[in-house]
Amino acid sequence: AYYVSILKEIGKNRGEIIKILKTTDYQVKKAENLSSKLNKEMLEEILNDQNYENILDKITIKYFDNKDFFIGMMDNNNKYPLKGALLYHNGDYYKGEFSEGRKNGNGVIKYKNQTRYEGTFKNDRHDGYGKLIQLDGEIFEGEWKNGKINGNGVRLHSNGDKYIGSYVNNIRNGQGHYIFINGDSYNGNWVNGKANGLGTFKFKNGNIYEGEFKDNIILGKGILTMQNGDIFEGQWLNDKKNGQGIYTYINGDKIIGNYYILLQLDHMYS
């Protein structure tokens, strides 16, 4: 309620507001659990945003009963925010569009743990297209639904790994390309965050495997093309050649049979 006195004193003039902000912390510093510096930054940010130039005469400063702090444009009944900056009492900070008191439309939220999301919202949740930046440097940009990653996107992990592809409820599902920082890469199908089904794994040494995977393990039928030109096509178990297969040397010679026998013959040729 005491923000009414602020409004009366500073009026609706942008220049007067900024002047007061530069000379005093004003009564904002009296608000419990609120940083006067952050509140000033909020005010200056919204007032310097050209998107707000046409609503300066409608700007309201409001301190809600739950100790949330808002500056921007309210609805006609002065009940719900429509567009502006909201500092939550827990330290989160949102700037953007609202509807029926909830974050709806385009906006940016900075969580107290320093995680930042910028994009579209629906009913207070990340929904649509958006970018999430975390404190440890991890970045995701892509599609969201009901507050979770759903659809296609790009995730840059804090360790330097990169994933480009499909997600369901924050987990890799569907087609996707994972590039490891060490130079390896996998491009193929994912189920519950793991390589499952058909895919291609390129090793940093130049070898390329194309075939079946089960829970991140090479298992089933597949073809390994080695960097020296040799090719093995056959059965695999736990990332190793196992069972029937064909080993083709770069000169065109072939050995067909069980891999254990092929391995023994290979030793004879070496």
Side-chain angles (χ1 to χ4, degrees):
Y2 56 74
Y3 279 104
V4 174
S5 62
I6 297 179
L7 289 174
K8 289 182 178 179
E9 183 169 340
I10 63 179
K12 304 292 180 64
N13 184 276
R14 178 176 182 275
E16 291 180 13
I17 295 175
I18 293 178
K19 182 178 180 181
I20 291 176
L21 288 172
K22 291 181 178 179
T23 58
T24 178
D25 285 342
Y26 212 70
Q27 293 187 30
V28 173
K29 65 184 179 182
K30 295 181 180 180
E32 295 179 4
N33 300 323
L34 296 177
S35 162
S36 59
K37 179 183 178 183
L38 180 56
N39 289 330
K40 290 197 298 182
E41 290 176 352
M42 287 171 57
L43 292 167
E44 290 178 336
E45 182 178 357
I46 191 172
L47 291 170
N48 288 323
D49 189 333
Q50 61 180 4
N51 294 325
Y52 289 85
E53 289 289 345
N54 61 341
I55 63 166
L56 284 176
D57 61 337
K58 301 178 182 178
I59 283 181
T60 298
I61 299 174
K62 188 175 182 66
Y63 185 51
F64 295 96
D65 292 339
N66 64 356
K67 298 177 182 177
D68 290 348
F69 176 82
F70 174 78
I71 176 171
M73 185 168 65
M74 300 288 292
D75 63 11
N76 292 334
N77 296 322
N78 200 38
K79 182 179 180 181
Y80 294 125
L82 292 179
K83 185 176 184 180
L86 179 64
L87 176 64
Y88 295 90
H89 62 277
N90 67 353
D92 295 344
Y93 167 48
Y94 172 77
K95 177 185 174 183
E97 299 172 331
F98 299 82
S99 178
E100 295 295 322
R102 295 182 177 183
K103 297 183 289 291
N104 278 286
N106 295 313
V108 177
I109 187 166
K110 301 175 184 177
Y111 296 97
K112 62 180 179 181
N113 64 3
Q114 301 304 306
T115 297
R116 174 188 173 98
Y117 170 84
E118 50 189 69
T120 55
F121 291 80
K122 184 177 181 180
N123 293 329
D124 278 338
R125 295 179 176 180
H126 308 165
D127 198 292
Y129 191 89
K131 183 177 183 180
L132 184 73
I133 304 172
Q134 296 179 279
L135 183 61
D136 63 2
E138 183 169 307
I139 300 173
F140 172 81
E141 183 170 0
E143 298 172 325
W144 299 75
K145 186 69 175 178
N146 293 325
K148 294 182 178 181
I149 300 172
N150 278 284
N152 294 312
V154 178
R155 170 171 268 157
L156 179 62
H157 294 269
S158 58
N159 65 355
D161 291 352
K162 185 178 183 179
Y163 175 78
I164 307 168
S166 178
Y167 285 85
V168 176
N169 293 332
N170 292 336
I171 300 175
R172 294 187 292 272
N173 273 284
Q175 292 296 307
H177 189 191
Y178 195 103
I179 304 168
F180 297 87
I181 187 65
N182 68 355
D184 294 341
S185 69
Y186 169 79
N187 192 356
N189 194 60
W190 298 79
V191 177
N192 294 327
K194 295 181 179 180
N196 277 281
L198 296 177
T200 300
F201 195 99
K202 295 183 178 180
F203 298 87
K204 62 180 178 180
N205 64 4
N207 292 348
I208 301 175
Y209 170 84
E210 300 174 86
E212 297 177 324
F213 291 80
K214 177 67 175 178
D215 293 338
N216 287 340
I217 296 174
I218 296 175
L219 190 151
K221 295 180 180 180
I223 301 172
L224 178 68
T225 303
M226 286 158 271
Q227 53 85 25
N228 65 358
D230 292 351
I231 298 174
F232 173 79
E233 180 177 358
Q235 294 290 327
W236 295 74
L237 179 66
N238 296 329
D239 289 334
K240 296 181 180 179
K241 307 176 190 72
N242 190 296
Q244 291 297 115
I246 302 173
Y247 196 104
T248 304
Y249 293 90
I250 190 172
N251 64 3
D253 292 344
K254 292 184 179 182
I255 302 177
I256 303 173
N258 187 284
Y259 179 71
Y260 290 113
I261 298 175
L262 298 182
L263 184 62
Q264 293 176 0
L265 292 174
D266 188 53
H267 287 162
M268 293 173 59
Y269 279 97
S270 61

